[in-house]
């Protein structure tokens, strides 16, 4: 059984982004279920960060300083760095492997 990292990275990022945005909206409006949506968003963001870092560190085209940059970006600015990674950089990483 082969694990498809491409689907895991993309799905976990999209799920975390949507759940966090909707959870924040629910929290602002004081609607029930906000805490659960925010927890789902944070857990799926953790899955995304782990799988994206695995993908970055196993890439042969990324040098060590760029790997450090992605690590700091994912840990400090998870959603913003994730958006940049999924939309721009990831295509180059996968294409060059």
């Amino acid at each position: 059984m082969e694990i498809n990292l491409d689907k895991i990275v993309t799905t976990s990022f999209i799920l975390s982004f949507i759940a966090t945005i909707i959870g924040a909206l629910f929290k602002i409006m004081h609607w029930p279920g906000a805490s659960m949506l925010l927890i789902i968003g944070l857990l799926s963001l953790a899955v995304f960060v782990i799988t994206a870092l695995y993908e970055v560190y196993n890439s042969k085209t990324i040098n060590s300083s760029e790997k450090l940059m992605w690590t700091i970006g994912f840990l400090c600015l998870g959603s913003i760095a994730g958006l940049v990674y999924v939309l721009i950089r990831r295509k180059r990483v996968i294409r060059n492997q």
Side-chain angles (χ1 to χ4, degrees), residues 9-89:
V9 170
T10 306
T11 305
S12 63
F13 178 73
I14 291 170
L15 179 67
S16 72
F17 199 76
I18 290 172
T20 304
I21 296 295
I22 293 174
L25 175 68
F26 274 41
K27 198 74 156 170
I28 291 168
M29 301 299 288
H30 301 288
W31 291 342
S35 297
M36 184 57 75
L37 280 171
L38 289 173
I39 290 171
I40 290 170
L42 287 175
L43 289 176
S44 57
L45 182 64
V47 169
F48 166 73
V49 167
I50 291 168
T51 53
L53 283 175
Y54 177 80
E55 191 175 77
V56 165
Y57 276 91
N58 285 333
S59 175
K60 307 242 186 296
T61 61
I62 299 177
N63 59 24
S64 61
S65 63
E66 196 172 353
K67 288 178 184 180
L68 179 64
M69 180 202 66
W70 282 115
T71 303
I72 293 170
F74 285 139
L75 296 179
C76 296
L77 305 166
S79 295
I80 297 169
L83 187 62
V84 171
Y85 183 72
V86 167
L87 293 179
I88 299 169
R89 178 64 182 154

